[in-house]
Amino acid sequence: MVEKTKQEKKAKSPGFMQWVLVIGIPLIFAIILAFIIFSFMGIDVIAKTKDAANQIPFLSSVVTTDEEQEVEREEEKVETQLSEKDAEIETLQTEVSNHEQTIDELNQEIVKLTNQTEDTSDEEVETEGEVQENEEESENLDKLTKSYEEMDPESAAPILSNVERDLATAILQQMKDEERGEVLSAMDAEVAAELTQLLLE
């Protein structure tokens, strides 16, 4: 009898599944209904739920609000921008280094070309000076030769005999053949022979 009563009590006491069916399903239905009603009323239920959960100490570390998510997104965006700027800075530093190297090479080339130009200018000046000097000497020699040609052979012979041999030879070379012969004839025989020898060299 006692055992029968215990079994009847067990049979009559509601089980866990019965509690779920009686309380859980209506509760879920009520939550869904409330969500739909609040959504129609324009209330953001999810945001409100997050705000409420964020106020609870042990849930605040798990649940993130829209503001916190926005802050996190901004932080990620800033970090990405900083990374991009760092990469740009490195690229620009590399370019600057390359440009500095190119500038150094160009400066060395400029110095080299400047030195070559100066050397060439010095050579040109020296050459121009020599040419000008030679032209002046030639003009002077022409004038002297003309002066001796205008003299009488008897007057020109003693003067040329006392002039430096190289200059006398140069003047005689410039003179016409006939006049040269007359001047040499009027000279002392030894001097005439010496100048003739120089004229032949």
Side-chain angles (χ1 to χ4, degrees):
M1 254 336 249
V2 176
E3 287 181 11
K4 230 177 195 187
T5 309
K6 284 182 180 178
Q7 284 177 359
E8 286 175 3
K9 281 184 181 178
K10 280 183 182 179
K12 287 180 182 177
S13 61
F16 176 74
M17 287 304 293
Q18 289 175 341
W19 284 107
V20 170
L21 290 172
V22 172
I23 296 171
I25 291 175
L27 183 61
I28 292 170
F29 181 74
I31 291 170
I32 293 170
L33 187 61
F35 181 79
I36 293 169
I37 292 168
F38 286 135
S39 296
F40 276 117
M41 292 174 64
I43 298 170
D44 190 356
V45 180
I46 295 172
K48 294 287 183 184
T49 306
K50 284 183 179 179
D51 289 339
N54 203 35
Q55 301 299 321
I56 300 170
F58 68 90
L59 288 178
S60 61
S61 59
V62 179
V63 179
T64 55
T65 61
D66 291 340
E67 292 177 359
E68 289 174 341
Q69 288 177 350
E70 184 64 27
V71 169
E72 287 177 4
R73 281 195 292 270
E74 286 296 326
E75 287 177 355
E76 289 175 2
K77 187 178 177 182
V78 169
E79 286 176 3
T80 304
Q81 288 176 347
L82 287 174
S83 298
E84 290 173 356
K85 293 295 179 187
D86 287 340
E88 286 179 11
I89 288 168
E90 287 180 7
T91 304
L92 290 172
Q93 285 176 341
T94 304
E95 289 179 3
V96 167
S97 178
N98 292 337
H99 288 321
E100 286 176 351
Q101 185 177 354
T102 304
I103 288 168
D104 289 339
E105 290 173 359
L106 289 173
N107 283 334
Q108 290 174 3
E109 189 68 22
I110 287 169
V111 170
K112 184 178 176 183
L113 291 172
T114 303
N115 291 335
Q116 288 178 354
T117 304
E118 288 175 356
D119 293 342
T120 305
S121 297
D122 292 341
E123 289 175 4
E124 287 176 356
V125 168
E126 288 176 5
T127 305
E128 286 175 2
E130 289 174 2
V131 169
Q132 189 175 0
E133 189 177 338
N134 290 336
E135 286 177 355
E136 289 175 359
E137 287 178 1
S138 179
E139 286 178 8
N140 291 336
L141 186 62
D142 288 342
K143 288 178 183 177
L144 280 172
T145 302
K146 192 173 181 181
S147 298
Y148 280 105
E149 284 176 344
E150 290 174 356
M151 288 183 189
D152 292 331
E154 290 78 11
S155 301
I159 297 171
L160 278 174
S161 298
N162 292 314
V163 171
E164 189 181 332
R165 293 292 181 252
D166 290 340
L167 179 58
T169 305
I171 291 170
L172 288 169
Q173 281 177 339
Q174 293 284 336
M175 292 175 76
K176 294 174 184 174
D177 292 341
E178 185 180 345
E179 291 169 351
R180 185 188 314 122
E182 290 176 357
V183 171
L184 287 171
S185 304
M187 284 183 182
D188 181 71
E190 290 182 6
V191 175
E194 184 182 350
L195 288 172
T196 303
Q197 185 67 35
L198 289 170
L199 285 167
L200 292 172
E201 289 179 358

